[in-house]
Each structure stands twice: as C-alpha cells, then as structure tokens.
Amino acid sequence: MPRHTLSELARHVGGKVIGDDAVEIRGVASIEEAGPAEIAFLAHPRYRGYLATVRAGALIISRNIPIRSLPKAGKNFIQVAQPYVAFAKILQLFNPPPSYGGEVSSLAAIDPTAVLAERVTVFPQVYVGKGVRVQRGTVLFPGVFLGDGVEVGEDCVLHPRVTVREGCHIGNRVILHAGVVIGADGFGYAGEGRERVKIPQIGIVVIEDDVEIGANTTVDRATLGRTVIGRGTKVDNLVQIAHNVIVGQHSVIAAQAGIAGSTKIGNEVVLAGQVGVVNHVEIGDKAKIGPQSGIPRSVPPGALLSAGLEAQPHQQWLRVMTLLPRLPKLWGAVQRLEAKMARLVSREARGKKSHARRQRDL
Amino acid sequence: MPRHTLSELARHVGGKVIGDDAVEIRGVASIEEAGPAEIAFLAHPRYRGYLATVRAGALIISRNIPIRSLPKAGKNFIQVAQPYVAFAKILQLFNPPPSYGGEVSSLAAIDPTAVLAERVTVFPQVYVGKGVRVQRGTVLFPGVFLGDGVEVGEDCVLHPRVTVREGCHIGNRVILHAGVVIGADGFGYAGEGRERVKIPQIGIVVIEDDVEIGANTTVDRATLGRTVIGRGTKVDNLVQIAHNVIVGQHSVIAAQAGIAGSTKIGNEVVLAGQVGVVNHVEIGDKAKIGPQSGIPRSVPPGALLSAGLEAQPHQQWLRVMTLLPRLPKLWGAVQRLEAKMARLVSREARGKKSHARRQRDL
Amino acid sequence: MPRHTLSELARHVGGKVIGDDAVEIRGVASIEEAGPAEIAFLAHPRYRGYLATVRAGALIISRNIPIRSLPKAGKNFIQVAQPYVAFAKILQLFNPPPSYGGEVSSLAAIDPTAVLAERVTVFPQVYVGKGVRVQRGTVLFPGVFLGDGVEVGEDCVLHPRVTVREGCHIGNRVILHAGVVIGADGFGYAGEGRERVKIPQIGIVVIEDDVEIGANTTVDRATLGRTVIGRGTKVDNLVQIAHNVIVGQHSVIAAQAGIAGSTKIGNEVVLAGQVGVVNHVEIGDKAKIGPQSGIPRSVPPGALLSAGLEAQPHQQWLRVMTLLPRLPKLWGAVQRLEAKMARLVSREARGKKSHARRQRDL
C-alpha cells in the first residue's frame, strides 16, 4: 500500500498545502466516506457544508475557495487550480494500474504465426489468429478474439470478450472494455427489397493511441479504406460508430450515441448521451452536442447545440403533442390576425382622421 | 411432463373454476395456438371474439368479464382478480427453471483460490479469478468471466459471455443475460482536450437479490464506492447504467434506456424504452417516465412524465421543424396582437361611450 | 488475386464499356485512393469534379451521366443503370467470402449428441449443446454458444462471441456479427412492485434465410410461440428486438433502433437509426421511418414518417423548450384573438353600415 505525506501529494499535483504538510495519506475516498488516513475531493463550493463533519485526513480544494472561509480546526487542504485533475492524479498515484505477469496461458489458442512481444499477458480462452502482432506490455483478458492480421500496440488492455476482427489496427495504451466489437462489417447494401445486395466491407478500423472504448460499443470496419478513432478520444458504453466514420483527436462520445456512415467528427468534440448523427456530415472541432440531439446536417466548429426534449407531465405533454403538428396552422392564423389587425388599426386611424375632419368641418 | 386438473390450477392461483374442474391441462399456449390439453390467457375483453373459435382446454379470465357473457358450449375457465399474474404462475408451474447437474467442467479455468459452494454448475470456457466465491445452486454458462474477488450469491444464472469484473458483488437469485457487462470502468476523465486525465474507477458494482438484467446491458463500476441495482429491479436489454448510479428496489428499466453518472432512481420507478436521464439527479419513488424521454432534472415521486415525439408524415414534419425554432417569435407576435387588441377594444369601448354620450347630449 | 478486363466486368454487371475494354482491373478502391489497376465508383454527379484528378483505371458510372460530359483523356468507364449495385457486385467478385477449411477444433466443447454436417468449420472455444444441428458450410467463430436443440442452416457465419440460446432456429446464409444474442428471455413480468412475477419465456426465435444481424444486437425469445426475423431482412448493430416481434421480409433496421414486444414490422420496411416502436402495433409494408422517431401507434403501408428533432443553438433551444409546454396556452390565445377580431370586424362593419344609414338618412 503506497503512503504519501500531504506535501508529497501537493508537489505531485502542483498544489499548495494549507494545514499540516506531514499528515500521512494512504488512499482516496469520497467526501462522505473518507477517514483520517484518506484524502477526499471537494468538487464544488456547494458541498462546503460537508467541511464541518468530514472525517478525511485532507481535502483537495479549488483556488476559488477563499482560505479564510476554511474552518481552522484540524483540517488539512491541498489547494490547486484544477481540483478535479488533481483528484484524478492522486487517485492514479494510489491506484496504479495492476501489473500483469506477462504469462501466456496454455489454455489460449494462439496461431503459430502470431508474434507476441515480451511482457504480453494472455489469459485462458483468448484466440489469436494468423499473423497477429501484439506489442510489449499488452494484456489480453479471457475471451479476447484477435482476427487474422490484427495489430495491437504497447501497454493496451483488452478486457474480457473483446472482438477485434481481421486486419484492424489498435495503437498504444488503448483500453477496450468488455464486449467491445472492433471491425464488424459495416451496414452496407445496394438495391432495394429482394434485389438488395451485400456490399463487401473490405476496409479496416484504426484505433489510435490513448483511446478508451466503453463496454459493448461497436466500431464497424470501412467498406473501403479505414474507420478511424483518433488519438486520445474517449468513447463510452453501447456507442455505435459506423463504417468509414473518422473521429478526430481528444473527442468524447457519451453512452448510446450513434454516428452513421462516413461522417467526420472533429477534434475535441463532445457528443452527449444518445446523440444521433446522420451519415456523410461533418462535426467541426470543439463542437458540443447536447443529449439525445439529432444531427441531420454538418455542424460548424465550436457550435453548442441541443435538441433533447424535457419530459413533461403526461397529460400536458399529450396536449402539446396534439398541437405540435398544427404549428403551421397556428402560424398561419397568427399571420392572418396580424394582417387583419393592421387593416383594422389603419381603418381606425383613418376613421379618427375623417371623424376629426368632420368635427373640424362642423 | 407435469399435468394438473383445472381445479388444481385454480387453487394454485387463488381462482375459481367455471366449467369442468376435472379437465386435465398439460401446458400453456397462446390463445391462437392452444389445443384441448392446454390453458390459454384471455388478456383483454377485446379478445373476447376469440372465444367462439378457441380450441384451448381452458382459459384464464378476469373477474371483470361477466360470467353470463361467456359462451356455454364446452368452454372451461379459471376466473381470477389478476389474470396476467395467474398466467405467469401457471406458466411457471408447467415450465420450472431447468435444473443443472452441479458439475464443474474441467474445460473451465478456475483459480485454485476460488471457492465454489455445492451444486454450483460451471460450463466449459468459464473463467473464475482469484478469491472468487460462488454460492450454492448458481449456474455459470460458457464464456462467463468472474474477475478476482467477485462474489456471486445462491441460485443465480449467469448466461453465456457475461462479464463480472473484479470485486463486484452479485446477490441471490440474480439472472444476468448473455453479454451483460458488470463493473467496466465508469466514463470519468478530468481536464479538457489533450490534457484529459483518466480517473481510476476503483469502486464496485453491487447487484442485490432477485435482480434480472437483460442481454448486452452494461453497469459500470463506481469511481469510489458503489454502483447499486436494488433488490427486485428488472433491467431490459442494451441499457446503460453509469458509475455511481443507485437504482432502488423493484424498479423497471426498459430496453436502451441510459442513466448517467451518480443519478439516483427510486423504488418502483418505471423507465420506458430509450429514456435518457442526466447525471446527478433523482427520480422519486414510483415515478413513471414515457419512452424516449429526456430527463434533465430531478423528478418528484409519483410523477408521470412523457416526452417522446410521435412521428409525423415527413413533409408535414419538415414544416413543423422549420417553425419550431421560431416559436419564440410566434409567441412574441401573439403577445403584441393581444396588446393591440386590448387597445383597440378599449378605444372602441370609449368610442361607443363617447358616441352614446354624444347621442344622449344631442 | 483475381484479375478481370473491363469488358468482363461490364458483362458481369450488365453494363457498357466506354473507353478501353481490355484494361485489366485487379481490385476496387475509393475514388480518392484508386490506382491504375483499380476500379472506383462515381456515386453521384456532384463528385464529377474528381474526374479531372482521379487515377483509377476505370470508373463505374450511372446512365444518367451524359457521355459527352465525360472527359476524353484516358478515362475508362462502365456505365450501368444502378451503379451502386454494380459496385457491390464487382466488389464481391474481387473479394469473395473467405473459405474455411471445414475443420472442427479439438478445443471446442461439442456435445456428443450434436450433429454437424460436412464442411462445418468450428473454431476453438465454441460451445455446442445437446441435440444441436448445424448444416454444411457453416462457420462458428471462437466463443460462439449454441444452446441445446439449436438449429443452424447452411453457409451461415456466426462471428466471435455470438450466443444462440436453446431451441432457436437460424436459417441458411445467415450472418450473425460478433456479440449478437439470439433468444435471451423476453422482458416479461406480471404484477407490480414487490409482487412482480417473472413470466417464463418458453418460446423461441426464428431467423429466416439471408438475414444479417449487426454486432451486439439482441433478439429476445417469445413468451409463447416465436419471435421472427423474416427472410432477407438486415439488422444493424445494437438493435433491440423484443419478444414476439415479427419482422417481415427484406426490411432494414438501422443501428440502435428498438422494437417493443409483439409488434409486427411488415416487408421492405425501413427503420432509421435510434427509432423506437412501442409494443403491440403494426408497421405496414414499405413504410419508412426517419431517425430517432417514436412510433406510438400503427403505421399504414408506404407511410413516410419523421420525428427527429434537429439540434439548435443551445440558447435558442432553451427558449423553444420553455415555450413548447405553453403551446396549448398559445393556441388558446390565438383562438381568443380570432374570436375578438371577428367580433371587432363585424361590429366595425355594422358600425359602417349604420353610419352609412345615418349618412343616407341625413
């Protein structure tokens, strides 16, 4: 179990100790549960109420919290510019990724033409196809399938039951969570009805370095060429990424979002949960799309879009839904009213004038 | 094959026989397909038309159907308060869960430190990690993965290719359908863009007793602490439950719903299909949320909310969608019209009065 | 590597060569990447700009492109009525499905009562239960699970980690992508809250000939009877098809769509991505439903419906969303305005008449 003094931790995250530098910390816990040997994280000023009762040995806080507001009695703090990042780094320090023994199970099925570098760990029930290459430090959990010709980089973790189909490339330090499917056939057919013909999907998927992909997410292989998930991009669970999609670098795609074929997602884009993006469009760099939004056309860089509908009380919603299709009619009614009103007002004005004239004429 | 007389079945479900008590029933079938040795279920008065042609040996019906409306000729009935519950119980009686032999396959990979209680059935291709404990009567189908330190209770069924990651706890009588992933890392990062840092997810998932989770659903482990699915809750296929979510007891979550991080779902809540709930909110006990609803804030107990949009003819919908963003403008136009109208009407009233005055003055 | 002259390819797809019949083609590539030994596909007149720079040995083009518009210099073409279908067929010609050796791995777990026809390929880590029958030419990739009594037809491909639960039937030439779950229990319970009772799901799933089902899609077994996916239907990734759903022939269901219990989908229906269809309704033949649409009631044949909301700039959307629940109020305001306007206008008309009368009477 690692132990660190508060001053060591502060140095690690570029922060400043307020209180006792020498207090020894052995782990991280939530603010509700942390004990005297643990450090916790005060995410937001509104949790400041907890300061009175918290039992944590120390707290990570933001520079935005004025020091004079911190209670004196026996509390210790690390104050940093980005407390959430500091929390993540301290959590990493106390919870280093598990190291695996570099053993290759005799209960795995590994083609003799596959090349596994040193310190690759292969659990039982793994399947490794012809000509596969896996670089050093990578871990293949039980049930991982690597199709013929797959390449996997260094220090990757492929969790249980991950499938990487033939020819796909996985970069370095990639994490694929359980049940992920990389390189299934794209959904492509030509023709209609009973004349429909399957379009062979002969491209691949390229997952660049430092990508993490959530459980049961699917990334389809390209028809021709490549489907790409760019460096540093993070994809949540149950996401669908169709054939020939290109996702840029350092983007974030939340759970159950879906991206249709050949669409390009820029760098540092954020797609919230259950977003749907149609095929053949582009989402510009740093665009942020709110939950459940439908994206039927390209989005410029930096756009902040929303479309989710907030749920309403059921009876009210039924009335709204009955009226919504009549919106064009309502719009027409208002336009007619505006025209009539304008005529009335102008006739009234003329009427007054003529009345005034008549008055004057009298 | 079990056989039961109609009177035995009626006793089993607390119902009353109308017709021949002694008729022997050997199974349950749909009302369209049931033959003379089978019992069927008349779900709703509107299916009463079937009574003329149904070949079933007996029918389960509601107390709400007046007896005099039932045809005389050779039909037998069990009349109960809750026919759907009676149907379920009789179906259970004729289709008891399969019993497994309690064999542990030599083709499974089981760590020597794992403890399997008596009558645990382990199929080939199962992986059981270090220190795992599995209680009696539980069945692990092919391809199940139990990470180090996992605990599984009594009489659970883990279907093929279920993954339970390290340290997670599964209660008693839990059913996990094929492809379920319990305890993948929550989707947590601090910082933006290329500075983004993974937050280690060191908590666990706790699945309480009598929970059932549908195929390919994912339940993420907590960052710190626990993600919880409460006793008796039923979760459908392809649902996403994020880190630190707490779902209460006896709730129902339909297919493809998604619940974002740290949200609390109460007891006996119903989420319909494709609902999305944002992070850090609370859904009160017995709230019911309609299909495809977005839930951007907390919902009080007992609320009945909807937000799904009914699909419209495409051209009409395009017109509505063009006008919807102009709703604020429309609203403004109506308010201006109301103001003008009020002025017109009051001027008209004054005009009449002054006219009347003039008339009187004449 | 197969090679074909342009005239051979034209004959194969019923097209006409413009240019050099004898040019030798060795593969298919995208219009951006094709070299002189490859044929590419000009999907749409708007890509005609590429004609100047394309390096492809030949191009598949539509009859709609006037020949005189094609540049003269050294370009060769196959002109056809349906270029996309021709592209698919030529792609198939150059990329025939891989043939498998018909070997049955000794590392698979196959019940002795199972019957595998000739030329069935079984990879390691496959599980085949009691009484299973698999017809000739079918391939079972690593991690495939076939429950007791499953039947699989000829020339199917079951990709890694596919689960087919007990008793289900798979037709001929069916492709099930990685992680597909066929025949998990339908989501059926009777009663409410803690009284909730599981309804045994004792029906099966029938997948007819020439169906393709995408990665991690789930198709639940019927309560009683059968869930059916009809001949030639194509289902994308992460789709949910609930118990007792009947999908007709040659329909297309895009990614992340969900179909609730007992619903009937007709022939040649198209459901776009993330569509949700409620239970117990019917979608008529050849209906097309736009992305993210909710379908709360039956849809007539041939209908073209939409409901997706286009994402809007966030602040504008917030205003729209605030006003949307007040649509009934707005509607009421407009109706009151219309009534007042009508009264005003008629009083004004009467006023004029009486004024005119007075004038005349003077």
Side-chain angles (χ1 to χ4, degrees), chain B residues 233-254:
Chain B
T233 284
K234 311 300 183 186
V235 180
D236 202 350
N237 296 351
L238 293 168
V239 170
Q240 153 70 353
I241 297 181
H243 48 180
N244 293 87
V245 165
I246 307 289
V247 180
Q249 299 184 1
H250 304 293
S251 288
V252 171
I253 302 176

mmCIF file of all heavy atoms in Angstrom, chain B residues 233-254:
data_model
loop_
_atom_site.group_PDB
_atom_site.id
_atom_site.type_symbol
_atom_site.label_atom_id
_atom_site.label_comp_id
_atom_site.label_asym_id
_atom_site.label_seq_id
_atom_site.Cartn_x
_atom_site.Cartn_y
_atom_site.Cartn_z
ATOM 1 N N THR B 233 -35.210 -5.285 -8.804
ATOM 2 C CA THR B 233 -35.292 -4.429 -10.003
ATOM 3 C C THR B 233 -35.020 -5.245 -11.261
ATOM 4 O O THR B 233 -34.197 -6.156 -11.263
ATOM 5 C CB THR B 233 -34.313 -3.242 -9.859
ATOM 6 O OG1 THR B 233 -34.911 -2.314 -8.942
ATOM 7 C CG2 THR B 233 -34.047 -2.548 -11.188
ATOM 8 N N LYS B 234 -35.740 -4.915 -12.336
ATOM 9 C CA LYS B 234 -35.612 -5.632 -13.603
ATOM 10 C C LYS B 234 -35.120 -4.655 -14.664
ATOM 11 O O LYS B 234 -35.727 -3.582 -14.859
ATOM 12 C CB LYS B 234 -36.960 -6.202 -14.034
ATOM 13 C CG LYS B 234 -37.714 -6.987 -12.944
ATOM 14 C CD LYS B 234 -36.961 -8.186 -12.419
ATOM 15 C CE LYS B 234 -37.815 -8.944 -11.395
ATOM 16 N NZ LYS B 234 -37.068 -10.036 -10.744
ATOM 17 N N VAL B 235 -34.065 -5.033 -15.344
ATOM 18 C CA VAL B 235 -33.450 -4.177 -16.358
ATOM 19 C C VAL B 235 -33.460 -4.941 -17.679
ATOM 20 O O VAL B 235 -33.082 -6.111 -17.730
ATOM 21 C CB VAL B 235 -32.001 -3.820 -15.958
ATOM 22 C CG1 VAL B 235 -31.355 -2.922 -17.000
ATOM 23 C CG2 VAL B 235 -31.960 -3.175 -14.577
ATOM 24 N N ASP B 236 -33.878 -4.293 -18.720
ATOM 25 C CA ASP B 236 -34.031 -4.912 -20.042
ATOM 26 C C ASP B 236 -32.684 -4.897 -20.793
ATOM 27 O O ASP B 236 -31.631 -4.585 -20.228
ATOM 28 C CB ASP B 236 -35.097 -4.116 -20.802
ATOM 29 C CG ASP B 236 -35.766 -4.881 -21.939
ATOM 30 O OD1 ASP B 236 -35.311 -5.969 -22.311
ATOM 31 O OD2 ASP B 236 -36.762 -4.344 -22.467
ATOM 32 N N ASN B 237 -32.716 -5.204 -22.071
ATOM 33 C CA ASN B 237 -31.505 -5.321 -22.899
ATOM 34 C C ASN B 237 -30.902 -3.951 -23.247
ATOM 35 O O ASN B 237 -31.619 -2.962 -23.378
ATOM 36 C CB ASN B 237 -31.836 -5.998 -24.240
ATOM 37 C CG ASN B 237 -32.320 -7.422 -24.082
ATOM 38 O OD1 ASN B 237 -32.274 -7.998 -22.999
ATOM 39 N ND2 ASN B 237 -32.794 -8.010 -25.164
ATOM 40 N N LEU B 238 -29.588 -3.930 -23.451
ATOM 41 C CA LEU B 238 -28.878 -2.785 -24.039
ATOM 42 C C LEU B 238 -29.076 -1.495 -23.264
ATOM 43 O O LEU B 238 -29.054 -0.404 -23.821
ATOM 44 C CB LEU B 238 -29.310 -2.590 -25.508
ATOM 45 C CG LEU B 238 -28.885 -3.707 -26.464
ATOM 46 C CD1 LEU B 238 -29.589 -3.569 -27.804
ATOM 47 C CD2 LEU B 238 -27.379 -3.710 -26.678
ATOM 48 N N VAL B 239 -29.262 -1.626 -21.950
ATOM 49 C CA VAL B 239 -29.390 -0.459 -21.073
ATOM 50 C C VAL B 239 -27.990 -0.058 -20.602
ATOM 51 O O VAL B 239 -27.129 -0.907 -20.399
ATOM 52 C CB VAL B 239 -30.295 -0.799 -19.871
ATOM 53 C CG1 VAL B 239 -30.253 0.293 -18.807
ATOM 54 C CG2 VAL B 239 -31.724 -1.049 -20.343
ATOM 55 N N GLN B 240 -27.775 1.240 -20.427
ATOM 56 C CA GLN B 240 -26.514 1.743 -19.894
ATOM 57 C C GLN B 240 -26.763 2.324 -18.510
ATOM 58 O O GLN B 240 -27.600 3.223 -18.345
ATOM 59 C CB GLN B 240 -25.958 2.813 -20.832
ATOM 60 C CG GLN B 240 -25.069 3.864 -20.179
ATOM 61 C CD GLN B 240 -23.724 3.326 -19.713
ATOM 62 O OE1 GLN B 240 -23.480 2.122 -19.764
ATOM 63 N NE2 GLN B 240 -22.865 4.178 -19.247
ATOM 64 N N ILE B 241 -26.051 1.804 -17.520
ATOM 65 C CA ILE B 241 -26.143 2.343 -16.161
ATOM 66 C C ILE B 241 -24.737 2.767 -15.770
ATOM 67 O O ILE B 241 -23.830 1.942 -15.665
ATOM 68 C CB ILE B 241 -26.747 1.300 -15.201
ATOM 69 C CG1 ILE B 241 -28.180 0.987 -15.666
ATOM 70 C CG2 ILE B 241 -26.717 1.809 -13.763
ATOM 71 C CD1 ILE B 241 -28.938 0.010 -14.824
ATOM 72 N N ALA B 242 -24.567 4.065 -15.569
ATOM 73 C CA ALA B 242 -23.223 4.638 -15.414
ATOM 74 C C ALA B 242 -22.709 4.505 -13.979
ATOM 75 O O ALA B 242 -23.421 4.037 -13.080
ATOM 76 C CB ALA B 242 -23.242 6.096 -15.842
ATOM 77 N N HIS B 243 -21.484 4.957 -13.779
ATOM 78 C CA HIS B 243 -20.834 4.819 -12.472
ATOM 79 C C HIS B 243 -21.571 5.588 -11.379
ATOM 80 O O HIS B 243 -22.063 6.676 -11.598
ATOM 81 C CB HIS B 243 -19.358 5.225 -12.496
ATOM 82 C CG HIS B 243 -19.049 6.529 -13.147
ATOM 83 N ND1 HIS B 243 -17.761 7.000 -13.242
ATOM 84 C CD2 HIS B 243 -19.815 7.459 -13.754
ATOM 85 C CE1 HIS B 243 -17.763 8.152 -13.863
ATOM 86 N NE2 HIS B 243 -18.985 8.450 -14.186
ATOM 87 N N ASN B 244 -21.631 4.963 -10.212
ATOM 88 C CA ASN B 244 -22.214 5.560 -9.010
ATOM 89 C C ASN B 244 -23.719 5.788 -9.095
ATOM 90 O O ASN B 244 -24.286 6.466 -8.227
ATOM 91 C CB ASN B 244 -21.504 6.876 -8.641
ATOM 92 C CG ASN B 244 -20.066 6.657 -8.209
ATOM 93 O OD1 ASN B 244 -19.152 6.624 -9.050
ATOM 94 N ND2 ASN B 244 -19.848 6.441 -6.931
ATOM 95 N N VAL B 245 -24.354 5.241 -10.106
ATOM 96 C CA VAL B 245 -25.827 5.272 -10.118
ATOM 97 C C VAL B 245 -26.344 4.354 -9.009
ATOM 98 O O VAL B 245 -25.778 3.300 -8.748
ATOM 99 C CB VAL B 245 -26.362 4.810 -11.491
ATOM 100 C CG1 VAL B 245 -27.857 4.481 -11.443
ATOM 101 C CG2 VAL B 245 -26.075 5.876 -12.542
ATOM 102 N N ILE B 246 -27.416 4.802 -8.352
ATOM 103 C CA ILE B 246 -28.095 3.965 -7.363
ATOM 104 C C ILE B 246 -29.510 3.743 -7.877
ATOM 105 O O ILE B 246 -30.272 4.707 -8.007
ATOM 106 C CB ILE B 246 -28.179 4.656 -5.981
ATOM 107 C CG1 ILE B 246 -26.802 5.116 -5.501
ATOM 108 C CG2 ILE B 246 -28.860 3.738 -4.968
ATOM 109 C CD1 ILE B 246 -25.854 4.036 -5.091
ATOM 110 N N VAL B 247 -29.855 2.508 -8.192
ATOM 111 C CA VAL B 247 -31.237 2.195 -8.578
ATOM 112 C C VAL B 247 -31.885 1.514 -7.387
ATOM 113 O O VAL B 247 -31.303 0.598 -6.796
ATOM 114 C CB VAL B 247 -31.301 1.275 -9.816
ATOM 115 C CG1 VAL B 247 -32.750 0.982 -10.191
ATOM 116 C CG2 VAL B 247 -30.556 1.889 -10.992
ATOM 117 N N GLY B 248 -33.083 1.975 -7.033
ATOM 118 C CA GLY B 248 -33.782 1.440 -5.868
ATOM 119 C C GLY B 248 -34.353 0.053 -6.108
ATOM 120 O O GLY B 248 -33.909 -0.679 -6.995
ATOM 121 N N GLN B 249 -35.349 -0.306 -5.301
ATOM 122 C CA GLN B 249 -35.910 -1.649 -5.327
ATOM 123 C C GLN B 249 -37.136 -1.727 -6.237
ATOM 124 O O GLN B 249 -37.924 -0.797 -6.321
ATOM 125 C CB GLN B 249 -36.308 -2.059 -3.908
ATOM 126 C CG GLN B 249 -35.107 -2.089 -2.974
ATOM 127 C CD GLN B 249 -35.438 -2.570 -1.590
ATOM 128 O OE1 GLN B 249 -36.575 -2.909 -1.303
ATOM 129 N NE2 GLN B 249 -34.433 -2.612 -0.728
ATOM 130 N N HIS B 250 -37.283 -2.893 -6.877
ATOM 131 C CA HIS B 250 -38.488 -3.213 -7.638
ATOM 132 C C HIS B 250 -38.793 -2.195 -8.735
ATOM 133 O O HIS B 250 -39.933 -1.962 -9.087
ATOM 134 C CB HIS B 250 -39.691 -3.358 -6.701
ATOM 135 C CG HIS B 250 -39.453 -4.366 -5.629
ATOM 136 N ND1 HIS B 250 -39.321 -5.697 -5.891
ATOM 137 C CD2 HIS B 250 -39.253 -4.229 -4.287
ATOM 138 C CE1 HIS B 250 -39.079 -6.352 -4.760
ATOM 139 N NE2 HIS B 250 -39.034 -5.485 -3.778
ATOM 140 N N SER B 251 -37.752 -1.575 -9.257
ATOM 141 C CA SER B 251 -37.939 -0.681 -10.394
ATOM 142 C C SER B 251 -37.829 -1.468 -11.695
ATOM 143 O O SER B 251 -37.396 -2.625 -11.701
ATOM 144 C CB SER B 251 -36.906 0.450 -10.348
ATOM 145 O OG SER B 251 -37.244 1.338 -9.298
ATOM 146 N N VAL B 252 -38.259 -0.852 -12.791
ATOM 147 C CA VAL B 252 -38.260 -1.490 -14.109
ATOM 148 C C VAL B 252 -37.628 -0.519 -15.109
ATOM 149 O O VAL B 252 -38.075 0.611 -15.239
ATOM 150 C CB VAL B 252 -39.701 -1.814 -14.553
ATOM 151 C CG1 VAL B 252 -39.728 -2.278 -16.006
ATOM 152 C CG2 VAL B 252 -40.295 -2.885 -13.647
ATOM 153 N N ILE B 253 -36.605 -0.971 -15.800
ATOM 154 C CA ILE B 253 -35.903 -0.115 -16.762
ATOM 155 C C ILE B 253 -35.918 -0.812 -18.114
ATOM 156 O O ILE B 253 -35.319 -1.872 -18.283
ATOM 157 C CB ILE B 253 -34.456 0.153 -16.296
ATOM 158 C CG1 ILE B 253 -34.481 0.818 -14.902
ATOM 159 C CG2 ILE B 253 -33.708 1.012 -17.315
ATOM 160 C CD1 ILE B 253 -33.121 1.054 -14.297
ATOM 161 N N ALA B 254 -36.638 -0.212 -19.069
ATOM 162 C CA ALA B 254 -36.841 -0.881 -20.359
ATOM 163 C C ALA B 254 -35.628 -0.697 -21.277
ATOM 164 O O ALA B 254 -34.700 0.066 -20.979
ATOM 165 C CB ALA B 254 -38.107 -0.351 -21.018
#
